[in-house]
Amino acid sequence: MDRMEQLRELLNQSPKDSFLRHALALEQEKAGALQTAIRTFEELLADDPAYVGSYYQLGRLLEKIGQPDQAIACYENGLMYARKAGEKRAQNELQSALDELLYD
């Protein structure tokens, strides 16, 4: 059983587990299923908008498929939630990604 299958099996038991959903999206990206990964991240964040680690990953994917405006919005939303949660590392990561997109 590969990692993606294992994650899906675990998600059958805990379908709203944000950590598992994030891991599944990363595996989907690694397998080249970018649109599926984007959809998984979007669904995760719709259910758990405070799961700040997914904003960076989703923003990167949106950049990769040529949607910089959506990536900017994603990074900005992530920054808002990271600030609320006091997650400085996530704030710095998201701000760097946003600055790079806006000013490079």
Side-chain angles (χ1 to χ4, degrees):
M1 181 181 308
D2 71 5
R3 181 146 168 77
M4 211 174 319
E5 289 174 19
Q6 291 173 334
L7 289 166
R8 284 192 183 108
E9 196 170 290
L10 290 169
L11 279 166
N12 283 335
Q13 299 165 15
S14 301
K16 295 295 183 182
D17 186 302
S18 296
F19 176 81
L20 293 174
R21 294 165 80 185
H22 181 92
L24 177 62
L26 292 176
E27 289 298 317
Q28 291 166 333
E29 177 187 5
K30 194 163 49 170
L34 301 186
Q35 292 295 334
T36 303
I38 288 169
R39 194 168 34 259
T40 300
F41 279 127
E42 289 174 339
E43 290 169 359
L44 183 167
L45 291 170
D47 290 338
D48 186 0
Y51 201 77
V52 294
S54 292
Y55 289 97
Y56 177 79
Q57 299 298 331
L58 176 56
R60 254 187 352 92
L61 280 170
L62 292 168
E63 284 187 64
K64 192 182 281 190
I65 65 166
Q67 296 183 359
D69 292 340
Q70 288 184 332
I72 289 167
C74 181
Y75 293 141
E76 289 173 342
N77 285 335
L79 274 167
M80 179 185 67
Y81 283 103
R83 283 187 191 107
K84 284 182 183 179
E87 293 192 28
K88 297 288 186 199
R89 183 170 178 255
Q91 283 181 46
N92 292 338
E93 197 172 64
L94 288 161
Q95 189 65 59
S96 292
L98 181 61
D99 290 346
E100 188 175 308
L101 187 56
L102 290 174
Y103 304 116
D104 281 352

